[in-house]
Amino acid sequence: MPDWEPMNSKEQDTRPVPAPRLRFPGFVGEWEEKKLGQVCAVLNNLRRPITGSQRVKGDYPYYGASGIVDYVAEYIFDEPLLLVGEDGAKWGAFEKTAFIAEGKYWVNNHAHVLKPLNSPLELIENYLSMIDLGPYVTGAAPPKLTLGKLKNIPIPLPPTLPEQTRIAAALSSLDAVIAAHQSKQDALREHKRGLMAGLFPAEGERVPRLRFPEFEGAGEWEEKKLGEVAPLQRGHDLTSSQLVAGDVPVVYSNGIQNHHNTAIAQAPALITGRSGTIGKLHYIESGPYWPHNTTLYVTSFKDNNPKFIYYLYSFIDFTRFASGSGVPTLNRNDAHAFITSIPSLPEQTRIAACLSSLDGLITAQGDHIAALQAFKRGLMQGLFPAAAAGPSTTPETSE
């Protein structure tokens, strides 16, 4: 019994399509459009779900609709294959609907498993990731990209394998550059975490492990209650009917979501989620703002360096102050009673400047990654012909 499902005769249609806007030198001729089921074998019959309670923890990735969801002790596949979300996925353009799994791994029943027959894996992955697969998704509870619809997705292909390989190699090379920059950003973030662990005293201690030379021998930090350092107050109500469009940022528990015409507070500002997003911090450098009632905000920095307080709050685990059933709420009284350590203002300023500089590097790295990703999107749109229209009315094959 074969481990893949061939298309039926009604699906074996191929048509010429115009060449894309961008083309590597030396390649000519029209492209052709085939159905995905002609281009790939389907290995869905090999995948198997394992309930959470039955999984044995191990080193092998356990894939679902959008990527790795766990690690298990055994594997099903041991070759690079293309996974496409069947249900519980995102199917919009550039939402990484399709992704490659490599090495040894397991796949559950929420991802289709495809093996290209005569085309590079990366070529099919990039095209499926580029287009909007929403028109091929059916149902609502939950929505699903059925096998029949999947196999009938039209795929434009260059007329020769060398051209297919050239496009796949170019996009893979760009992916490698993006991944390298993402790794650099991850390394910077990890360095920042380690640096903060050294620049702030461990809980119960009053001298940090790392200290700038000018502050060595400066003595212990001063112990204070958090409420004496940077007290918190609940934000203010602002319903949608009260909101008047303007230039004043309205800060919610998950960040700036709206703008109002009136301010009730002035930056520098430090805001944290009051419930649901406890410990998520937002810092506003300058200007007026409106803290929404889903937040808690610092009403006074008590002559401390505001940016240092931001990093101090980042270092403290605020989830310890959560209380209540259902959606936990940050208990202000508990937070205010927490004992912390504070250095002199000059040392605060030195620490804040150091960490701000590192944050600048992390942000710049993120901007560079975003620019590379935007460049890749534009390149893909030029290297592939315009996406075909939505699905045809061809009856679905049996699943």
Side-chain angles (χ1 to χ4, degrees):
M1 181 178 180
D3 63 355
W4 59 278
E5 304 168 40
M7 298 190 73
N8 62 41
S9 58
K10 292 182 179 180
E11 296 170 310
Q12 298 289 348
D13 56 331
T14 299
R15 70 181 184 90
V17 291
R21 178 171 51 86
L22 299 177
R23 206 160 189 186
F24 290 103
F27 297 109
V28 296
E30 287 187 319
W31 283 37
E32 58 183 10
E33 185 182 271
K34 296 183 178 182
K35 298 295 178 67
L36 184 58
Q38 291 175 260
V39 177
C40 296
V42 179
L43 308 183
N44 283 3
N45 60 315
L46 299 180
R47 63 186 184 173
R48 295 202 305 276
I50 317 174
T51 62
S53 61
Q54 294 178 324
R55 290 177 207 159
V56 178
K57 298 296 182 181
D59 298 327
Y60 301 114
Y62 179 81
Y63 282 93
S66 300
I68 297 171
V69 295
D70 205 347
Y71 287 85
V72 294
E74 298 183 57
Y75 62 92
I76 300 174
F77 300 102
D78 186 12
E79 63 177 321
L81 294 171
L82 182 62
L83 307 186
V84 183
E86 179 175 352
D87 52 35
K90 294 180 179 180
W91 293 282
F94 298 105
E95 288 194 318
K96 207 62 180 172
T97 299
F99 53 95
I100 295 172
E102 299 182 90
K104 297 176 180 179
Y105 54 94
W106 196 290
V107 182
N108 69 18
N109 61 332
H110 297 294
H112 296 292
V113 183
L114 304 178
K115 181 177 183 177
L117 300 173
N118 297 299
S119 296
L121 196 64
E122 297 82 3
L123 185 77
I124 309 300
E125 176 214 12
N126 277 287
Y127 182 74
L128 290 177
S129 296
M130 181 187 75
I131 65 173
D132 179 13
L133 296 182
Y136 300 91
V137 176
T138 58
K144 185 174 183 178
L145 176 59
T146 65
L147 178 59
K149 293 291 187 183
L150 176 80
K151 290 169 69 175
N152 278 287
I153 295 172
I155 304 291
L157 292 171
T160 65
L161 182 58
E163 186 173 6
Q164 294 182 30
T165 303
R166 183 71 179 84
I167 294 170
L171 295 175
S172 294
S173 176
L174 191 50
D175 281 338
V177 173
I178 293 171
H181 283 284
Q182 288 172 329
S183 294
K184 182 178 178 181
Q185 187 182 47
D186 291 340
L188 285 168
R189 286 176 172 147
E190 188 60 34
H191 174 61
K192 179 187 171 184
R193 283 191 288 271
L195 187 60
M196 289 181 69
L199 289 174
F200 289 93
E203 191 168 329
E205 298 181 6
R206 297 176 63 179
V207 177
R209 181 170 49 84
L210 300 177
R211 212 158 189 183
F212 293 102
E214 62 268 36
F215 300 107
E216 290 180 0
E220 295 182 334
W221 289 19
E222 183 181 1
E223 283 191 341
K224 286 188 176 182
K225 292 180 180 179
L226 205 57
E228 298 172 335
V229 174
L232 293 164
Q233 177 177 310
R234 179 175 170 172
H236 300 265
D237 289 340
L238 185 65
T239 64
S240 56
S241 62
Q242 294 171 325
L243 188 68
V244 180
D247 298 326
V248 176
V250 182
V251 188
Y252 296 74
S253 60
N254 56 350
I256 297 172
Q257 300 293 316
N258 267 312
H259 287 79
H260 191 42
N261 70 338
T262 305
I264 55 174
Q266 185 74 27
L270 177 55
I271 303 103
T272 185
R274 187 169 61 86
S275 64
T277 53
I278 294 173
K280 186 173 184 179
L281 299 175
H282 311 284
Y283 186 81
I284 301 177
E285 200 75 46
S286 61
Y289 70 102
W290 184 294
H292 194 260
N293 71 329
T294 58
T295 69
L296 294 170
Y297 69 104
V298 172
T299 56
S300 171
F301 291 96
K302 303 287 187 179
D303 296 324
N304 293 295
N305 182 293
K307 202 62 178 286
F308 171 82
I309 299 301
Y310 164 69
Y311 291 117
L312 174 66
Y313 267 53
S314 301
F315 185 68
I316 297 170
D317 179 13
F318 268 72
T319 59
R320 70 174 74 193
F321 309 127
S323 63
S325 57
V327 179
T329 300
L330 194 152
N331 187 309
R332 255 192 312 161
N333 292 332
D334 289 348
H336 285 169
F338 179 75
I339 302 296
T340 188
S341 296
I342 300 291
S344 66
L345 184 59
E347 190 167 2
Q348 291 182 29
T349 303
R350 184 73 171 86
I351 292 170
C354 172
L355 295 175
S356 292
S357 176
L358 193 50
D359 276 340
L361 293 176
I362 293 170
T363 299
Q365 191 67 18
D367 291 342
H368 191 47
I369 292 168
L372 286 170
Q373 291 170 332
F375 174 73
K376 184 190 174 187
R377 287 194 293 270
L379 182 63
M380 290 167 69
Q381 290 167 335
L383 288 174
F384 289 105
S392 68
T393 56
T394 304
E396 293 193 16
T397 55
S398 170
E399 298 187 42

